[in-house]
Amino acid sequence: MQSSRGYLLRALNEWILDSGWTPHLVIDAEIQGVMVPQQFISDGQIVLNVAPSAVQGLLIENDAVSFNARFGGVPMNVFAPMVAVMAIYARENGQGMGFGAEPGVEALYDGEPENDPTPPEAPKPNKRPSLKVVK
């Protein structure tokens, strides 16, 4: 089954535009294949205005988002695999949707995945469920 992220992203982008708001995408810039202006990345993420007045040729496909835009007057082709899209929201009121990580996304990071400092939880002993009659 295909991921629903591309379908949801297209629908939410249309809803935000139809409402007269400005759509913004939050992109995980550390995923392999992401092409965004490096100088605007903060904490491994970048927020991009994808309103028609800000970009040209916006293409939201099932596997990626791409468009052309100017950053500081310099033209750039922007590309983000769909797994790198973390959220879409309206700038004016914050309404939109965040997306969780998909299985296997850890393998797509450019560098070594960060080690989780929290130890794994110890397995819980198997207890047999008990039922009680409540009157």
Side-chain angles (χ1 to χ4, degrees):
M1 181 176 230
Q2 284 190 2
S3 171
S4 61
R5 192 175 296 203
Y7 297 95
L8 293 169
L9 199 61
R10 282 190 294 275
L12 288 165
N13 184 58
E14 186 176 333
W15 170 68
I16 290 169
L17 291 172
D18 286 352
S19 299
W21 301 328
T22 310
H24 280 64
L25 296 179
V26 180
I27 305 293
D28 184 341
E30 296 178 349
I31 297 284
Q32 288 178 7
V34 170
M35 295 186 316
V36 294
Q38 299 295 305
Q39 67 270 30
F40 298 107
I41 294 173
S42 176
D43 296 326
Q45 299 176 0
I46 187 168
V47 177
L48 300 168
N49 176 350
V50 293
S53 61
V55 302
Q56 292 181 345
L58 176 64
L59 188 56
I60 303 174
E61 298 181 308
N62 290 341
D63 60 345
V65 175
S66 61
F67 58 88
N68 298 313
R70 291 185 171 272
F71 297 90
V74 179
M76 180 175 186
N77 296 324
V78 175
F79 179 85
M82 196 54 67
V83 296
V85 178
M86 301 173 69
I88 182 170
Y89 67 94
R91 178 188 66 202
E92 292 78 4
N93 60 12
Q95 289 190 7
M97 178 183 280
F99 301 101
E102 293 188 9
V105 76
E106 301 86 23
L108 298 175
Y109 280 90
D110 282 331
E112 288 293 317
E114 294 181 15
N115 291 331
D116 188 2
T118 58
E121 248 183 69
K124 298 199 177 52
N126 289 338
K127 280 182 148 180
R128 207 173 158 174
S130 62
L131 298 176
K132 198 192 281 187
V133 177
V134 178
K135 292 186 183 184

